[in-house]
Amino acid sequence: LVSYLSFPCRYFRWWFKKTCIEKKSAFIDLLCAVPLQQIYGCPLGGIGGGTITRGWRGEFCRWQLNPGVYHYETVIANQFTVCLRCKGQTVYQQVLSVERPSTLQGWNWGYCGHYAFYHALYPRAWMVYELPGQNVVLTCRQVSPVIPHDYKDSSLPVGVFIWEVENGRDEDVEVSIMFSLQNGMGTKEDKIGGHWNEPFTFERDGERVAGVLLHHCTPVNPFTLAISAREKAGTEVTHLTSFNPTGSGREVWQDLLQDGRLDSPTGKSSLTEKGEVTAAAVCASCRVPAREHGTLELALAWDMPCVHFGSKEKVHFRRYTRFFGSGGDAAPALSHYALMHYEEWERKIEAWQNPVLENSQLPSWYKSALFNELYFMTDGGTIWMEVPPDCSAKDLQGPAGAGLSHLFPFLREYGRFAYLEGQEYRMYNTYDVHFYASFALVMLWPKLQISLQYDIAVTVVNEDVQPRQYLMDGQTAPVKLKNVVPHDIGDPGDEPWQRVNAYLMHDTADWKDLNLKFVLQVYRDYYLTHDSLYLRDMWPVCQAVMESELKFDTDNDGLIENGGFADQTYDAWAVHGASAYCGGLWLAAVRMMCKMAEVLGDTEIQQKYADILSKGKEAFERMLWNGKYYNYDSSGSHTSSSIMSDQCAGQWFLGACGLDQGEFEVFPKSHVLSALRTIFEKNVLGFAGGTMGAVNGMRPDGVPDTSSVQSNEVWIGVVYALAATMIQEGMVEEGFRTAEGCYRTVWERLGMAFQTPEAYREKKVYRSLAYMRPLSIWSMQLALERQAGWAPPPPQPSQGPINP
């Protein structure tokens, strides 16, 4: 008790030093949570080049251009404005925003929200404006290049806005859409001086794009924003190079009002003075005949090719620089490429999404959840970096990674990928959580999952013996031991990949789940991709982490024991002795070791783990099965009989890999079904009237387990995984009912669209907005595809024995 009481003191002392003395951000800031704003919509941008999120009212309100660092600023100058002209006269001019700001008061604000509608199906969104009294409807379709199995266009930092104009009038109307943008992200850096704008045109293959570049010249991670429109027959593009977004804006407004065009001055703007902010605008105009349609195409691109993390030690090149160069001058080419290729992107997006959307047996909330939860793939502080040209295999492998023979060519080809545990939990590739989220990666961008696994494997075989104090228990231990899986690959405020384990709460070398989750993912990835080179590279690493794990089987009964503290992903929920969660993961990993050994022809290891599995299965059933479900743990304490919603996590992965029945069965099918039915009855239907998903822990008498701060939470990503497990076991209706509670709570009742948290409680308490784990919903889709008869052909055993 004393050690846990002193945790707040240790944390506060560490937090004060970090934030007040070193002036850096805390990896988890328990004292300054990000406030909930119920405003977010679909983010813009591909994977790993930074994101700009627009709200459902059209505002530009969440910025992540510096890797892993978020700014929650609504920049009021960033707007779309419409001008309608009939017979040479302007009849209507309106900012398409419901805001009434204190700046730019020369503009016509306060669009009536009653006449606007928003829809999002990531990576696209639609805003419909029924212009009051004008008999004209505008639909803005927002498209980002997030395309499964695409490793080029999916990396691009661009978004396209296609404006469809429906003219219901009996006369022609001239329509102009003006896109205005401030130079910067609405932060104090916008006022440091030295920023400037310039007009540009870019022509290739007879197609021409025009707009304005906004050069944001910060000392670290400078970038260029580009607003542009496509010039084509009947479409004119004009611009305003620079205006003051903090003034009245009257000169901009009058310029557009006069003729539906902007002045289009030539030449660059002058550099901003200290304290001065600048903005620019581009305008696309076309004539739409009576009772017909017209289209205007605009784009936003941003180019921050070379980035430093917080330590500023190394320069990193983003993935898109492979295709567009790293000179900082790619914004015109990016804009042109986006405006020429968005139709192809949309065809690919529709081909991917339509089989789900057109399946009448799937509920509509699920279709929304499946695609919209994918926002975190790009907006999870995501980075996708190239391996530097001067980098050698040895640089990547570290002192002990020479056995990973395909690591270097693989990372050379596909780059390095990382995303945050959450926008508030700033650790990259947090592995106990990625275990759940990894289904989205392996199903949609499998090369990125394999790249991530190689990065983890390198850290497994290397070590960092520097001692440090851990905040939860105050003990001193090394940063990272050899042959154990790290918690994460680093903090964006430091130097990820180079310094791992930013997580300071516990010494995770003693965690029981991380090593197992590596083994489970290796076989799952192989099962879905058939990448045998990957399997051979990972096999020695799997053996090493399982050897490390074996020391946790203290009584040699084939089953590991937890250590009496919160030594797994539930890092505030203590476990004693054998446990349903870690014990189940252990047995699943042992089964997969047997299977991998069989595939690779390694009979000695296969026999070793077959013997462990035989003993371990018996011990697991004897110590944890109570006739209805698996007890939380074997301690015999007053909470050891709690019903854990995640008790079948091992079975979940076995089922995803076709190792859940017949000769491969680990957990008796009747026990799995009984446990899942008990969870459905108690943790789902018995909690909040069955409307909020599954609570993590429930006592047998139907009261939530309050023994820890996490046992009476609902973890959305865990619920999606539980639903997938139910679907795998044929409990499809129960699976949907379970997951629906989370979707309705987060996306509808709590207004947390595009910021799904890690957790909430029954009474409107939530924790850690915009979190990685809910990407596990893609395991539901895998389970549904298996139910429908789709499954990858089982991998074939190799003919010869593996080389030692």
Side-chain angles (χ1 to χ4, degrees), residues 36-223:
L36 172 64
Q37 297 185 81
Q38 296 155 316
I39 64 173
Y40 297 115
C42 193
L44 291 157
I47 299 172
T51 43
I52 299 170
T53 297
R54 293 186 75 202
W56 49 266
R57 288 178 297 203
E59 66 271 53
F60 290 75
C61 52
R62 186 168 71 195
W63 305 78
Q64 189 262 141
L65 300 188
N66 286 306
V69 178
Y70 277 84
H71 297 290
Y72 302 91
E73 316 283 346
T74 295
V75 183
I76 204 67
N78 297 356
Q79 299 292 347
F80 288 101
T81 297
V82 61
C83 173
L84 301 183
R85 291 171 59 79
C86 289
K87 298 178 181 144
Q89 298 288 317
T90 297
V91 295
Y92 182 83
Q93 187 164 298
Q94 173 73 48
V95 185
L96 295 171
S97 166
V98 296
E99 303 289 342
R100 296 180 185 274
S102 56
T103 54
L104 297 173
Q105 291 200 329
W107 296 15
N108 184 24
W109 295 89
Y111 184 84
C112 178
H114 181 74
Y115 296 101
F117 308 88
Y118 182 81
H119 311 270
L121 191 70
Y122 188 76
R124 297 195 292 174
W126 294 259
M127 287 182 206
V128 182
Y129 302 91
E130 297 176 349
L131 304 182
Q134 301 308 309
N135 212 355
V136 171
V137 177
L138 305 176
T139 301
C140 175
R141 194 167 76 254
Q142 173 184 310
V143 182
S144 293
V146 180
I147 302 156
H149 307 285
D150 176 295
Y151 299 93
K152 178 190 174 185
D153 290 7
S154 289
S155 73
L156 303 183
V158 295
V160 181
F161 308 96
I162 305 99
W163 288 84
E164 305 279 0
V165 184
E166 189 180 337
N167 179 13
R169 292 169 172 250
D170 291 324
E171 58 184 339
D172 294 2
V173 63
E174 204 174 87
V175 180
S176 298
I177 299 287
M178 179 177 78
F179 181 14
S180 54
L181 195 79
Q182 183 166 310
N183 187 326
M185 298 182 273
T187 66
K188 60 179 186 286
E189 288 186 328
D190 294 9
K191 297 183 177 182
I192 62 172
H195 308 315
W196 57 286
N197 307 336
E198 62 173 328
F200 79 93
T201 57
F202 189 98
E203 189 166 342
R204 184 176 284 163
D205 302 329
E207 294 282 1
R208 188 174 149 105
V209 164
V212 183
L213 303 175
L214 299 89
H215 301 292
H216 196 74
C217 305
T218 48
V220 180
N221 299 345
F223 61 91

Side-chain angles (χ1 to χ4, degrees), residues 268-326:
K268 305 170 181 178
S269 71
S270 53
L271 300 183
T272 57
E273 302 287 335
K274 190 170 182 184
E276 186 187 0
V277 186
T278 184
V282 66
C283 177
S285 311
C286 71
R287 177 174 294 279
V288 183
R291 304 280 173 190
E292 290 200 23
H293 291 250
T295 305
L296 296 167
E297 299 148 295
L298 294 94
L300 171 62
W302 51 99
D303 182 26
M304 185 194 280
C306 314
V307 294
H308 289 90
F309 291 108
S311 76
K312 305 184 184 66
E313 286 170 43
K314 292 184 169 183
V315 64
H316 300 265
F317 297 92
R318 296 200 194 258
R319 170 71 173 179
Y320 75 86
T321 63
R322 185 187 189 100
F323 316 107
F324 286 87
S326 57

Side-chain angles (χ1 to χ4, degrees), residues 33 124 131 157 226 255 319 327 356 366 380 412 470 574 602 615 653 693 710 713 739:
R124 297 195 292 174
L131 304 182
D255 184 3
R319 170 71 173 179
V356 172
Y366 170 76
R412 257 278 150 85
Y470 289 91
D602 193 334
K615 281 197 301 185
F653 253 71
Q710 292 173 338
E713 289 182 328

Side-chain angles (χ1 to χ4, degrees), residues 7 49 65 75 211 221 382 405 414 512 532 753 790 804:
F7 162 70
L65 300 188
V75 183
N221 299 345
T382 312
S405 56
Y414 294 104
K512 309 305 181 287
S532 55
W790 173 90

